[in-house]
Amino acid sequence: MRKLLKLDSFWIRIIALITMTIDHIGVFLDYSKFYPLRIIGRIALPLFVFLSVEGALKTSNKKKYLLRLLSLFVSIGVILTAFSFMGSFFEEIAYTSGNIFFDLLLVILTVFILESDNKKIKPLVALPILYSIFSFAVIKLESCGCDGLYTWFPPALRMQYGIFTMLLTLGFYASNKLVPILINRYSPINADDDDYKRLLANFLCVITVVISGIILMLTNYAFGDAYTNMLEGIQTYAIISAVFIMLYNGKKGYNSKWFRVAYYLYYPLHIGIISLFFL
């Protein structure tokens, strides 16, 4: 079993960064001609959410974790706001793509709320869930061509994946919490086997990716826009991320300070570099 769990957090991060970069190159190129790039990019989000949930459950400094994501949320928000004033092509990207670090910020906030010992705080988990639905609905209504862009909803405050991010978050969180319950009830022999626990958690997370992708596809098709259906339909390729999730061993791996800094700065930097080629 140990031989199967080959990937630590470092390699999951690298895979997520590479596939994300390929996806964003596809965003700026002709979508119809570079469709495969967007398909490869579907791997990234589940991996980023997966790592964020893992990090939120394991972090020893919640305040520092929140501040880190908050600073990135603001920095990407500034970039998106600038895009919204740079012409139709960049304006469309700004309004329809959303702020991925708002997604990740809500991921860790959701986990922190669910993990709180204060029962009065737990009902607040409804707020990020409702916001993810709202953000998703606004972008889809715009895609349908109902009223054009809703400029009253700024790009910086839009989630990039909305309900898909939240479905993954809740599913990954539940997967981790279900493992000890399932082991104690159905397989007490493996109760102390950490590799068995990790493999079971990974399997439940894979189920989460599949179910979340199906829900997203069905929800998207309800809006009836052909282009959006084609774009969001490929989100079902997110199931490819299951291969890497199943290989996760629960360890950090290489995690020096420079890499942690580079990991979080990579997003705004690579967006800026790619954008320069299309100015």
Side-chain angles (χ1 to χ4, degrees), residues 148-168:
L149 292 177
Y150 298 144
T151 54
W152 50 263
F153 190 24
L157 298 180
R158 296 173 178 231
M159 295 177 68
Q160 189 165 6
Y161 291 93
I163 59 172
F164 188 52
T165 295
M166 194 53 57
L167 288 169
L168 290 172

Side-chain angles (χ1 to χ4, degrees), residues 12-270:
I12 296 290
R13 287 179 176 184
I14 294 298
I15 294 168
L17 291 175
I18 292 173
T19 54
M20 175 187 69
T21 303
I22 292 172
D23 181 44
H24 289 161
I25 292 173
V27 169
F28 284 90
L29 295 172
D30 187 338
Y31 178 81
S32 62
K33 295 180 180 179
F34 295 92
Y35 189 80
L37 300 184
R38 306 304 312 279
I39 290 177
I40 294 172
R42 300 312 95 206
I43 298 172
L45 179 73
L47 298 184
F48 281 124
V49 176
F50 180 76
L51 290 171
S52 296
V53 172
E54 285 285 307
L57 288 171
K58 295 177 179 179
T59 184
S60 57
N61 193 331
K62 294 181 180 180
K63 183 178 180 180
K64 185 177 180 180
Y65 199 8
L66 274 172
L67 288 175
R68 186 187 304 142
L69 266 297
L70 185 61
S71 63
L72 289 164
F73 158 69
V74 173
S75 65
I76 295 303
V78 171
I79 293 175
L80 290 173
T81 301
F83 273 16
S84 67
F85 293 99
M86 291 172 62
S88 59
F89 174 70
F90 286 94
E91 181 183 40
E92 182 180 0
I93 290 177
Y95 277 98
T96 58
S97 64
N99 189 339
I100 185 59
F101 282 105
F102 199 9
D103 289 58
L104 299 181
L105 182 62
L106 291 184
V107 168
I108 63 173
L109 280 173
T110 299
V111 174
F112 287 165
I113 292 171
L114 291 172
E115 285 290 281
S116 175
D117 294 327
N118 189 339
K119 293 183 179 180
K120 293 182 180 179
I121 293 179
K122 289 184 182 295
L124 293 177
V125 75
L127 295 179
I129 294 174
L130 291 174
Y131 193 90
S132 69
I133 295 172
F134 168 72
S135 184
F136 177 83
V138 167
I139 292 176
K140 294 310 166 192
L141 286 171
E142 290 175 336
S143 299
C144 288
C146 301
D147 298 307
L149 292 177
Y150 298 144
T151 54
W152 50 263
F153 190 24
L157 298 180
R158 296 173 178 231
M159 295 177 68
Q160 189 165 6
Y161 291 93
I163 59 172
F164 188 52
T165 295
M166 194 53 57
L167 288 169
L168 290 172
T169 301
L170 296 173
F172 291 157
Y173 177 80
S175 296
N176 280 278
K177 295 301 176 181
L178 279 173
V179 168
I181 297 174
L182 293 174
I183 288 178
N184 291 332
R185 180 171 296 182
Y186 299 108
S187 53
I189 295 176
N190 298 294
D192 297 322
D193 189 333
D194 290 337
D195 289 335
Y196 180 81
K197 292 178 183 178
R198 185 67 260 169
L199 193 63
L200 180 57
N202 292 349
F203 178 72
L204 293 175
C205 287
V206 167
I207 294 176
T208 291
V209 175
V210 174
I211 294 176
S212 299
I214 292 173
I215 293 174
L216 176 68
M217 182 177 65
L218 294 176
T219 303
N220 177 73
Y221 272 87
F223 285 87
D225 178 72
Y227 175 79
T228 305
N229 287 342
M230 179 174 65
L231 179 59
E232 292 294 348
I234 67 173
Q235 197 62 49
T236 53
Y237 285 94
I239 186 58
I240 301 172
S241 65
V243 175
F244 307 108
I245 290 175
M246 280 301 299
L247 298 176
Y248 178 61
N249 58 21
K251 299 177 181 178
K252 283 187 176 181
Y254 183 75
N255 194 43
S256 65
K257 185 176 181 179
W258 80 265
F259 177 73
R260 293 197 302 272
V261 173
Y263 175 71
Y264 287 105
L265 291 181
Y266 181 82
Y267 188 94
L269 289 175
H270 94 282

